[in-house]
């Protein structure tokens, strides 16, 4: 059963070494992520599952101990998702799970065993919800760390350029995340999310499925779009 969840953005810029001189711009987001992780630890989970958006080739499970790297972003920094596993794992962590692993290392996570799940960003809402229900049934007390960004079309300099629909989409998503409104999360439009380059839609709908029957309360800890991309941090418990 789901006992707690943290929702965090997944840009590599969260890592100060990647952001370099721009690192202070996301200090508030990092602090909010740390606060959300503290909610997870306080829930005393038996298992923590990190859920993040990927392409189809990177989707699937990642056991504890898998390594990730930030070399692709110009920083020779490696991270590991939880404690080392019993056997080497062929696939490295995808970018979103690598950022999550960095957040967990920064928080010195030791509250429960960790595993990861890469979710194809095009996965249908029904399959996302089903995946969430399966995750929630993995242990008596399951916590989720859900990585994902909002629209990437909030400004002219945003990665997806300016789309006037982006602000309204992000407002609705932030409200749903901040109030643990699973129905609103499931109602997020797949096609619109794709057009707005929303990386978080599928992971958020996995969270909605996992929360079925749990009725958690939600709190929005951070909401901003410093680079034209919607970043949200929320805690559910």
């Amino acid at each position: 059963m789901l006992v707690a969840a943290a929702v965090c953005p997944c840009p590599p810029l969260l890592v100060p070494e990647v952001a370099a001189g721009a690192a202070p711009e996301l200090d508030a987001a990092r602090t909010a992520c740390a606060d959300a992780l503290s909610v997870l630890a306080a829930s005393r989970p038996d298992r923590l599952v990190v859920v993040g958006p990927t392409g189809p080739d990177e989707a699937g499970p990642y056991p504890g101990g898998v390594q990730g790297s930030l070399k692709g972003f110009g920083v020779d920094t490696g991270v590991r998702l939880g404690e080392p596993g019993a056997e080497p794992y062929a696939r490295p962590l995808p970018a979103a799970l690598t950022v999550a692993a960095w957040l967990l290392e920064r928080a010195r996570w030791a509250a429960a065993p960790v595993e990861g799940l890469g979710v194809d960003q095009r996965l249908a809402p029904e399959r996302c919800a089903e995946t969430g229900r399966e995750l929630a049934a993995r242990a008596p007390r399951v916590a989720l760390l859900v990585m994902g960004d909002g629209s990437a079309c909030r400004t002219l300099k945003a990665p997806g350029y300016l789309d006037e629909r982006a602000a309204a989409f992000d407002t609705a998503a932030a409200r749903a995340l901040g109030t643990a409104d699973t129905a609103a999360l499931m109602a997020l439009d797949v096609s619109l999310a794709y057009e707005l380059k929303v990386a978080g839609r599928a992971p958020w709908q996995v969270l909605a499925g996992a929360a079925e029957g749990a009725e958690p309360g939600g709190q929005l800890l951070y909401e901003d779009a410093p680079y034209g991309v919607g970043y949200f941090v929320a805690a559910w418990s």
Side-chain angles (χ1 to χ4, degrees), residues 150-226:
S151 68
C153 303
R154 292 283 293 275
T155 66
L156 293 174
K157 294 184 178 180
Y161 197 65
L162 175 64
D163 189 312
E164 306 233 348
R165 302 170 296 175
F169 183 99
D170 282 354
T171 297
R175 184 185 303 114
L177 292 170
T179 58
D181 188 338
T182 58
L185 289 176
M186 290 305 303
L188 293 175
D189 185 88
V190 176
S191 296
L192 179 59
Y194 179 75
E195 292 172 9
L196 296 177
K197 303 184 184 301
V198 177
R201 190 274 308 170
W204 298 338
Q205 291 179 333
V206 170
L207 170 60
E212 287 183 9
E215 298 185 356
Q219 182 180 9
L220 189 66
L221 304 177
Y222 176 87
E223 177 187 4
D224 203 356

Side-chain angles (χ1 to χ4, degrees), residues 4-6 34-45 109 219 221 235-237:
D35 291 342
L37 288 178
S38 70
V39 172
L40 296 187
S43 72
R44 305 187 315 279
W109 176 268
Q219 182 180 9
L221 304 177
W236 291 20
S237 62

